[in-house]
Amino acid sequence: MQTTPQKILDWTIQKINRDYPGQICLLVENSNLRIPGYPENGVDYFIPEDGFRDTLSRTFIIGGVGYDLYPRSWERMETMVNLDDYNTTCLADARIAWARSDADRERFEDLQRRLAENLRNGEFMYRKALEKLDAAQQLSQKLFLEENLGQARLAAGYTADYLAQAVACLNHTFFHYSQYRQLEELERMEKPAGFSETYEKILFAKTAEELCGLARELVRMVRRFLEERRPPRPEAPAPGFQGLADWYQELCYTWLRIYTYAGAGDARRTFGAAVYLQEELNIAAEEHRFPPMDLLSCYDPENLSGISSRARELEGEVRRIIAEHGAKLAEYRDFAEFASCNP
């Protein structure tokens, strides 16, 4: 005896053949997201021919169970190959229930093969993990000022979800049951110590403040986890240190700002100049592969001599690196010397 989903599948095929001949490429089924104990889906979605003007889509309820017949274009299927669609399972674990032609079937199976290749690609999956981490960090920021408990739970829940996806990406996999069995699926993955336990605490948190703290802790965990597993970078040509010399010549005025403002006890302007210089130092260290230079940890608005001294140390270190690599500074005692060297 046919189940209701099987009857719906037969009805859909008959309707396609009668009302949309040649306009539907595939009917696709996936039962992973169905509630256990209910009949498996007969059809999850359909892929229409490009340019199809949709009237086949519909949602309805039969016997208290909701059904959703909806389209996924070939273009949208490409986003699933690249793991840019939330429910990767709808492609990876899908089965073709009906195909217009062998060519359509082969096109779908090629999408599945390409997705599998992406899942095996360490560099690709690491980039995807970083994207999920970035989405989680943006969501977690909303929690800082959120006072409504319901909205805090929403932001914390999605923060945990995106971070779990980042972990899955590093494990070269995805959640076969979307968010519905995440904690169970995480048990089989390599993950930060305490990640699942902290995630589960979100389920029982009673205040927005508690949710914020848990979300921030999860972000810290996954950020460290990703950093520890950063794939080795391909060897790049050694940077030209004359570029660093030119950078220093441009930025030396910012060092002078710090010395001047700090000497005058002007915390506002000292802080502004130091923030700008710190960002520039971070970029220069990354590009020229020298150790990070921490300036702002020495900032104390009540005693600006500390950051001034640290700025002098870092300036000396930058000049040492430039000289050590044989780069030259365009540096002159006075204008007369400049003019004589630049006729």
Side-chain angles (χ1 to χ4, degrees):
M1 182 177 178
Q2 281 191 317
T3 63
T4 297
Q6 290 169 338
K7 292 176 182 178
I8 292 171
L9 174 60
D10 289 345
W11 173 86
T12 306
I13 293 171
Q14 291 173 11
K15 190 164 186 64
I16 288 170
N17 290 329
R18 185 186 67 226
D19 299 339
Y20 309 101
Q23 298 178 71
I24 306 298
C25 303
L26 295 171
L27 294 178
V28 181
E29 59 180 342
N30 181 329
S31 298
N32 285 10
L33 304 184
R34 207 65 182 158
I35 300 172
Y38 285 83
E40 292 190 355
N41 286 11
V43 60
D44 181 14
Y45 60 91
F46 65 92
I47 300 179
E49 181 65 82
D50 292 340
F52 175 67
R53 297 185 64 182
D54 184 24
T55 56
L56 178 61
S57 300
R58 62 201 64 211
T59 57
F60 48 91
I61 301 169
I62 298 178
V65 178
Y67 295 90
D68 181 12
L69 178 60
Y70 69 97
R72 287 180 182 261
S73 66
W74 287 114
E75 182 180 10
R76 184 178 178 186
M77 298 305 295
E78 290 290 340
T79 69
M80 300 180 76
V81 170
N82 294 321
L83 281 86
D84 292 329
D85 187 291
Y86 184 81
N87 287 316
T88 305
T89 181
C90 290
L91 173 60
D93 299 329
R95 298 172 296 278
I96 297 173
W98 174 89
R100 180 182 63 175
S101 67
D102 288 342
D104 292 313
R105 184 183 298 274
E106 291 169 5
R107 184 175 180 181
F108 184 84
E109 290 171 350
D110 181 63
L111 293 172
Q112 291 181 314
R113 283 192 292 271
R114 289 166 51 207
L115 171 58
E117 290 171 2
N118 282 339
L119 288 167
R120 291 191 294 268
N121 185 322
E123 184 179 346
F124 176 87
M125 294 304 289
Y126 191 84
R127 288 201 308 271
K128 288 298 163 183
L130 290 176
E131 290 175 11
K132 307 301 183 187
L133 172 61
D134 184 60
Q137 289 179 145
Q138 291 183 43
L139 276 168
S140 68
Q141 290 172 4
K142 295 182 178 180
L143 279 164
F144 295 144
L145 299 175
E146 186 56 69
E147 297 179 354
N148 179 278
L149 182 57
Q151 292 302 309
R153 283 181 172 143
L154 176 66
Y158 269 110
T159 297
D161 181 29
Y162 273 112
L163 292 171
Q165 291 181 61
V167 169
C169 287
L170 282 191
N171 283 265
H172 294 253
T173 189
F174 58 94
F175 289 102
H176 294 265
Y177 299 92
S178 192
Q179 69 267 52
Y180 302 113
R181 300 188 196 176
Q182 252 180 11
L183 285 167
E184 292 89 337
E185 292 196 65
L186 279 166
E187 291 176 5
R188 301 188 292 274
M189 300 181 193
E190 183 186 7
K191 54 191 174 292
F195 180 84
S196 294
E197 294 79 2
T198 306
Y199 185 147
E200 194 152 22
K201 286 179 182 177
I202 288 176
L203 281 61
F204 301 96
K206 299 286 178 65
T207 67
E209 183 180 8
E210 186 180 1
L211 288 162
C212 181
L214 291 168
R216 290 180 64 185
E217 180 57 28
L218 283 177
V219 168
R220 282 194 292 267
M221 283 182 183
V222 175
R223 193 163 53 208
R224 288 195 300 267
F225 190 68
L226 265 67
E227 186 59 37
E228 291 166 359
R229 287 154 182 79
R230 184 184 296 274
R233 294 181 179 178
E235 282 298 321
F241 280 85
Q242 189 57 49
L244 182 63
D246 294 340
W247 170 86
Y248 169 70
Q249 287 164 186
E250 178 184 349
L251 269 292
C252 69
Y253 200 81
T254 303
W255 262 285
L256 183 59
R257 289 182 193 277
I258 292 174
Y259 306 143
T260 303
Y261 297 144
D266 189 333
R268 291 181 179 180
R269 289 175 175 78
T270 301
F271 183 75
V275 167
Y276 173 66
L277 182 56
Q278 181 69 78
E279 177 64 9
E280 287 291 331
L281 285 167
N282 291 349
I283 294 169
E286 178 77 14
E287 290 183 354
H288 295 275
R289 305 179 198 168
F290 55 78
M293 293 185 172
D294 182 11
L295 173 64
L296 283 172
S297 292
C298 296
Y299 173 77
D300 179 354
E302 305 300 327
N303 181 7
L304 296 174
S305 62
I307 196 166
S308 182
S309 296
R310 180 58 175 161
R312 289 191 186 279
E313 290 176 16
L314 296 181
E315 185 174 22
E317 181 64 12
V318 169
R319 292 179 69 100
R320 184 194 65 77
I321 293 170
I322 291 170
E324 188 178 80
H325 288 84
K328 302 295 183 183
L329 292 172
E331 194 167 26
Y332 310 96
R333 289 188 304 273
D334 51 35
F335 179 77
E337 183 181 0
F338 167 78
S340 68
C341 294
N342 296 272

